[in-house]
């Protein structure tokens, strides 16, 4: 089971397209005293079946605003509650990285068991920022380097918006050569949270625009060896070749069986996005028994979504097996109906038509796919440990393509050049 936990919806960022309406004040925090009750609810579920695993994704808001003591308590209480089952529990974190300092490293290494951290970044100025007025680009790049120095990788979620159209190659090249970044996922800007407010509306992309961005990105991706570290392209390609096992939750169908979202007050929802959209709330993890929450009638009704879509808007769709109508929250946001298809249906069809032209018809057999050597590479394979690059077209750092600098020179470049990126 994948549980997206939002211990707070507060955030120190000012990102225009944030999927939550976060701010610094008036936002609830999950008390660390509640952690033992939270884990105990899932501990009973985990112990009942040795094949079960639990992935806890700490999300927000900005989850690090809960403080270092909170996450020290997370690891302490998890070990106390899960005990011998801790081998089946994994923690993940999604952060803007702006609060990370050396003091956080021991806690993060223990919490994440040496795995990476998820984040977001923007190369177009004026989109993301900090309420303090500090330079987010500078802080983010410095944090990525710090994490990399301590063996923690960074995965990036990039939000595709109107100003990033036509920049697929620049974006790929930037993230491809950024030390410490091992994967990047390109999602469209969704009309939820701050993303539905007036300041973000000029940034919205149509389904066709996002689809063309994915087509452009796929060409750059093919030129560079089709790395596993570029999503959603890699997962859809594997499914195209007959292996749907790596599909994201928004393409699998059946997410109601695999995901839950926990709000700061303990409210239980279908997933993290459902918390922000305030749809399909099942109850409260601190008051209700998890077994009964998992049997909630709405959760059961969502199991029929695939059948409803196949009898309706997705009837006769050649790509059903690798799409399943997309995320139900998309249906809610754009159609007011959880049982409708994703608004970005046309995006997927545009990319899949391109796949067919390039790779031939999709395999109808679901079989394991053995990726080629290049395809198995993570996103970043620097020639040296000190490689640092930025595309000329988007001046985040004033460096030429393939220019290599020392760590000291890199840090100086960040201090002097990153300020220009957000002015």
């Amino acid at each position: 089971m994948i549980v997206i936990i939002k211990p707070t919806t507060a955030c120190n960022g000012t990102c225009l397209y944030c999927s939550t309406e976060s701010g610094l004040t008036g936002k609830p925090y999950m008390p660390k005293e509640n952690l033992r009750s939270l884990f105990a609810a899932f501990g009973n579920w985990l112990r009942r079946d040795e094949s079960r695993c639990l992935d806890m994704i700490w999300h927000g808001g900005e989850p690090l605003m809960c403080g270092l003591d909170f996450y020290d308590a997370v690891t302490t209480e998890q070990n106390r509650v899960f005990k011998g089952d801790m081998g089946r529990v994994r923690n993940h974190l999604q952060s803007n990285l702006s609060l990370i300092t050396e003091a956080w490293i021991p806690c993060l290494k223990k919490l994440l068991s040496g795995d990476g951290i998820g984040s977001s970044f923007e190369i177009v100025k004026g989109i993301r920022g900090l309420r303090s007025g500090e330079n987010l680009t500078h802080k983010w790049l410095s944090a990525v380097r710090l994490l990399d120095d301590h063996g923690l990788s960074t995965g990036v979620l990039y939000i595709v918006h109107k100003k990033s159209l036509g920049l697929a190659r620049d974006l790929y090249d930037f993230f491809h050569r950024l030390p410490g970044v091992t994967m990047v996922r390109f999602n469209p800007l969704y009309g939820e949270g701050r993303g539905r407010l007036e300041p973000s509306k000029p940034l919205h992309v149509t389904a066709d625009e996002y689809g063309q961005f994915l087509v452009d990105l796929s060409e750059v991706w093919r030129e560079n060896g089709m790395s596993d570290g570029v999503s959603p392209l890699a997962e859809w390609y594997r499914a195209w070749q007959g292996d749907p096992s790596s599909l994201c939750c928004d393409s699998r169908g059946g997410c109601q069986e695999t995901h839950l979202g926990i709000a700061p007050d303990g409210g239980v929802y279908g997933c993290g996005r459902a918390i922000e959209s305030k749809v399909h709330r099942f109850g409260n993890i601190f008051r209700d028994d998890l077994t009964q929450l998992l049997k909630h009638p709405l959760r059961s009704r969502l199991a029929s979504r695939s059948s409803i879509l196949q009898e309706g808007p997705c009837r006769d769709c050649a790509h059903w097996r690798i799409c399943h109508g997309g995320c139900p929250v998309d249906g809610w946001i754009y159609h007011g109906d959880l049982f409708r298809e994703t608004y970005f249906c046309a995006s997927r069809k545009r990319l899949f038509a391109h796949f067919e032209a390039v790779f031939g018809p999709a395999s109808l057999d679901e079989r394991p796919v053995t990726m080629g050597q290049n395809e198995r590479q993570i996103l970043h394979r620097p020639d040296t440990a000190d490689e640092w690059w930025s595309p000329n077209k988007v001046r985040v750092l004033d460096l030429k393509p393939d220019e290599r600098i020392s760590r000291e020179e890199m840090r100086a470049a960040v201090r002097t050049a990153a300020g220009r990126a957000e002015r």
Side-chain angles (χ1 to χ4, degrees):
M1 181 186 294
I2 298 173
V3 184
I4 299 94
I5 305 170
K6 292 179 177 279
T8 183
T9 56
C11 186
N12 60 342
T14 60
C15 309
L16 292 177
Y17 47 46
C18 183
S19 62
T20 182
E21 295 182 40
S22 54
L24 285 174
T25 60
K27 300 293 180 180
Y29 286 79
M30 181 181 291
K32 64 181 179 181
E33 291 76 17
N34 287 1
L35 289 172
R36 188 177 304 183
S37 297
L38 172 66
F39 301 144
F42 290 98
N44 295 331
W45 173 86
L46 192 66
R47 282 188 288 272
R48 281 196 290 268
D49 187 337
E50 291 186 357
S51 68
R52 289 174 174 171
C53 294
L54 189 61
D55 285 84
M56 292 187 161
I57 302 176
W58 300 90
H59 211 288
E62 172 47 51
L64 295 190
M65 288 187 68
C66 291
L68 187 55
D69 289 349
F70 181 88
Y71 291 99
D72 281 336
V74 167
T75 55
T76 298
E77 294 298 339
Q78 283 184 342
N79 280 290
R80 177 178 285 121
V81 171
F82 296 125
K83 299 179 182 178
D85 294 314
M86 267 305 295
R88 293 188 282 141
V89 179
R90 293 182 64 190
N91 291 292
H92 312 266
L93 186 69
Q94 181 74 20
S95 166
N96 64 23
L97 306 188
S98 65
L99 299 175
I100 290 181
T101 62
E102 285 276 0
W104 275 94
I105 297 301
C107 174
L108 292 176
K109 295 193 80 167
K110 186 186 300 183
L111 177 73
L112 304 174
S113 301
D115 292 340
I117 187 170
S119 188
S120 293
F121 187 65
E122 180 58 71
I123 67 173
V124 179
K125 66 181 180 180
I127 307 294
R128 297 176 65 88
L130 293 173
R131 296 177 187 276
S132 65
E134 295 174 280
N135 190 292
L136 179 57
T137 297
H138 177 186
K139 293 182 77 69
W140 191 87
L141 291 170
S142 298
V144 170
R145 184 58 147 206
L146 175 63
L147 291 167
D148 188 40
D149 285 346
H150 289 278
L152 292 167
S153 63
T154 302
V156 177
L157 174 63
Y158 183 82
I159 304 301
V160 178
H161 53 82
K162 191 75 77 174
K163 292 185 178 181
S164 53
L165 298 178
L167 295 179
R169 182 174 297 276
D170 298 274
L171 287 161
Y172 182 94
D173 286 344
F174 177 77
F175 291 119
H176 179 69
R177 294 178 180 271
L178 195 60
V181 172
T182 54
M183 68 83 62
V184 58
R185 182 177 184 86
F186 294 89
N187 277 0
L189 192 164
Y190 295 118
E192 59 189 351
R194 281 199 215 129
R196 64 181 175 81
L197 303 179
E198 285 300 322
S200 73
K201 287 184 178 178
L203 297 174
H204 286 204
V205 291
T206 67
D208 282 337
E209 287 173 333
Y210 176 55
Q212 186 57 51
F213 177 91
L214 291 177
V215 169
D216 295 343
L217 182 67
S218 71
E219 285 302 287
V220 185
W221 176 64
R222 284 204 307 131
E223 292 171 12
N224 286 272
M226 298 169 65
S227 161
D228 261 358
V230 181
S231 292
L233 299 181
E235 67 198 52
W236 275 333
Y237 172 72
R238 291 174 67 86
W240 192 267
Q241 298 295 330
D243 177 15
S245 63
S246 60
L247 285 174
C248 186
C249 57
D250 65 353
S251 297
R252 283 177 174 269
C255 56
Q256 75 285 343
E257 297 293 335
T258 58
H259 286 65
L260 284 179
I262 309 292
D265 65 353
V268 180
Y269 295 79
C271 66
R273 292 188 66 193
I275 295 174
E276 306 306 335
S277 298
K278 299 178 175 60
V279 292
H280 52 104
R281 178 178 171 125
F282 305 139
N284 190 288
I285 197 68
F286 300 128
R287 295 194 296 268
D288 304 313
D289 180 70
L290 180 61
T291 301
Q292 295 306 310
L293 292 171
L294 296 177
K295 295 178 180 178
H296 191 281
L298 178 54
R299 198 166 185 264
S300 300
R301 287 202 300 275
L302 282 169
S304 66
R305 181 173 181 265
S306 288
S307 298
I308 292 172
L309 288 173
Q310 285 185 289
E311 293 170 2
C314 300
R315 183 194 299 270
D316 301 324
C317 179
H319 310 301
W320 170 260
R321 187 179 61 82
I322 59 176
C323 175
H324 294 95
C327 178
V329 177
D330 284 356
W332 176 261
I333 292 171
Y334 295 99
H335 305 297
D337 186 351
L338 289 167
F339 296 86
R340 284 289 304 273
E341 78 284 7
T342 175
Y343 166 77
F344 293 99
C345 171
S347 311
R348 297 178 176 211
K349 287 183 175 179
R350 194 180 190 106
L351 177 66
F352 297 154
H354 183 69
F355 270 19
E356 185 160 11
V358 173
F359 302 121
S363 172
L364 298 179
D365 299 323
E366 294 190 1
R367 64 183 190 280
V369 173
T370 301
M371 307 289 279
Q373 184 176 1
N374 288 340
E375 295 167 300
R376 270 297 178 198
Q377 293 178 353
I378 60 175
L379 181 62
H380 176 64
R381 287 293 192 206
D383 293 336
T384 74
D386 293 316
E387 180 184 10
W388 193 273
W389 185 88
S390 177
N392 286 333
K393 191 171 183 180
V394 186
R395 295 191 178 277
V396 176
L397 297 179
D398 249 347
L399 303 177
K400 297 177 182 178
D402 295 324
E403 182 178 1
R404 289 162 178 77
I405 60 177
S406 69
R407 290 170 188 260
E408 292 72 23
E409 290 171 322
M410 185 281 295
R411 292 187 176 109
V414 169
R415 286 193 295 271
T416 59
R420 294 195 290 275
E422 294 193 352
R423 279 204 290 266

